[in-house]
Amino acid sequence: MTRVAFAYPGFEAWAAALAPRVGAASGDYTLRRFPDGESYLQVHTPCEGIEAIVVAGLDRPDDKLAPLLLLAATLRDLGAARVGLVAPYLAYMRQDARFKPGEGITSHYFAKLLSAQFDWLVTVDPHLHRTPSLDAIYSIPSQVVHAAPAIAEWVAREVERPLLIGPDSESEQWVGAVAARADAPFRVLEKTRRGDRDVSVRLPPGEDWTGHTPVLVDDIISSGRTLLETIGQLRQLGLPVPVCAAVHGLFADDAWEALRATGARVVTTNTVIHPSNGIDVVPAVAAALNDLLQRQG
Ligand code: R5P
């Protein structure tokens, strides 16, 4: 089946890097807003019988969702045999339970919306915490790419005597995998979140970490409060300013400036396009996509 990659606006470089690695041509389409704010779509590439590969990171997803679903529907309507989604960052994974009465479990509803329009999904380290796997909420085949090997390679290359630190129990899956590959020790801290921006962490008492460079590893930097709080605590213990490595750098509001003001070196993968990107996951995503498409036949 002929593969054609369609870049969602802003993901042109991503699609251009990915397409040759998976033998895809570049698709061309127009997406613009009507004066009333609705989306206008026109696909210029012939779609009959193709494997359409839509490349769209889903940070700040609410603005993207309607045009993205409409693009998928248009490609299918024009004859695409399959329409898949490469979402380097998959949004709406953290509200995976009803924590307070009346709350929506939005990760489930978002999964239903995407599953209704796409035939398959490839993404990088979705925030799977209480949800065991994407299959539990997505009804389409999916392939998860792990950024740990690329992060571990970066840490091993860039940091002297690293001590990897996960700020909370949820981060253990990421920090443990990076530590194993970087052949470095790791610790996981205890985090208490009282609100979106009200976070505290506790360090295990009585450990001597002198001589190591702390490397905080997390999957997501959103408000930045988790890392800021951890940096503050490490500094109080007399440890050097840590390096911060994250998979997805969302950097809400002033998070980027606040983290930079601590003097910490902050690096992210390019799942969310940002000046902190220093770790390329395109090759890993391409390998996963090739696997998935082979499985699909
Ligand atoms: C928590 O569940 C995640 O692994 C991250 O620690 C969290 O999303 C970071 O959020 P923030 O930057 O807002 O503290």
Side-chain angles (χ1 to χ4, degrees):
M1 203 184 300
T2 306
R3 300 174 180 177
V4 186
F6 293 88
Y8 190 85
F11 289 85
E12 293 80 3
W14 245 98
L18 189 65
R21 291 174 181 267
V22 298
S26 289
D28 184 26
Y29 70 103
T30 301
L31 167 62
R32 64 173 174 80
R33 300 270 184 197
F34 283 112
D36 58 10
E38 294 180 5
S39 295
Y40 168 88
L41 274 156
Q42 184 185 18
V43 178
H44 309 296
T45 304
C47 290
E48 202 58 52
I50 66 166
E51 178 94 62
I53 301 165
V54 177
V55 183
L58 293 178
D59 53 299
R60 277 97 189 156
D62 290 10
D63 291 344
K64 291 177 183 157
L65 187 60
L68 182 67
L69 296 178
L70 295 169
L71 172 60
T74 306
L75 293 168
R76 194 181 304 286
D77 194 27
L78 292 171
R82 272 196 307 241
V83 183
L85 175 63
V86 174
Y89 173 67
L90 185 60
Y92 278 106
M93 288 301 294
R94 283 177 293 172
Q95 184 73 26
D96 57 0
R98 199 182 319 282
F99 301 101
K100 294 182 196 150
E103 281 182 350
I105 308 173
T106 46
S107 68
H108 294 193
Y109 317 147
F110 191 75
K112 274 192 186 146
L113 288 171
L114 291 186
S115 298
Q117 288 302 335
F118 289 96
D119 295 304
W120 51 258
L121 168 69
V122 174
T123 191
V124 181
D125 286 327
H127 187 86
L128 291 168
H129 184 211
R130 282 155 288 260
T131 305
S133 77
L134 283 182
D135 293 343
I137 53 174
Y138 280 80
S139 58
I140 51 176
S142 60
Q143 183 89 17
V144 168
V145 178
H146 296 292
I151 296 177
E153 206 175 282
W154 185 91
V155 169
R157 194 176 63 238
E158 299 281 332
V159 185
E160 289 267 327
R161 299 200 67 213
L163 169 74
L164 301 178
I165 299 174
D168 55 22
S169 58
E170 287 159 72
S171 66
E172 181 155 4
Q173 54 183 306
W174 297 286
V175 74
V178 173
R181 287 179 172 266
D183 197 17
F186 79 95
R187 295 288 180 277
V188 173
L189 312 182
E190 271 175 44
K191 177 168 88 176
T192 309
R193 183 182 282 281
R194 288 170 294 272
D196 287 351
R197 283 159 209 283
D198 185 3
V199 169
S200 62
V201 291
R202 215 170 64 84
L203 307 180
E207 294 205 348
D208 183 9
W209 291 346
T210 45
H212 284 279
T213 307
V215 181
L216 301 181
V217 179
D218 209 352
D219 62 331
I220 298 175
I221 303 174
S222 179
S223 70
R225 298 304 127 176
T226 300
L227 292 186
L228 286 166
E229 183 60 33
T230 313
I231 292 169
Q233 301 242 7
L234 295 176
R235 297 299 284 149
Q236 275 175 21
L237 289 180
L239 284 164
V241 182
V243 173
C244 299
V247 183
H248 310 291
L250 297 173
F251 298 106
D253 304 326
D254 66 344
W256 173 236
E257 291 73 18
L259 281 166
R260 299 253 295 185
T262 66
R265 182 176 179 194
V266 183
V267 67
T268 60
T269 78
N270 53 349
T271 60
V272 178
I273 295 161
H274 186 267
S276 61
N277 292 167
I279 302 171
D280 184 14
V281 291
V282 171
V285 169
L289 178 53
N290 274 321
D291 281 356
L292 179 135
L293 293 180
Q294 231 157 39
R295 279 204 325 262
Q296 298 295 295

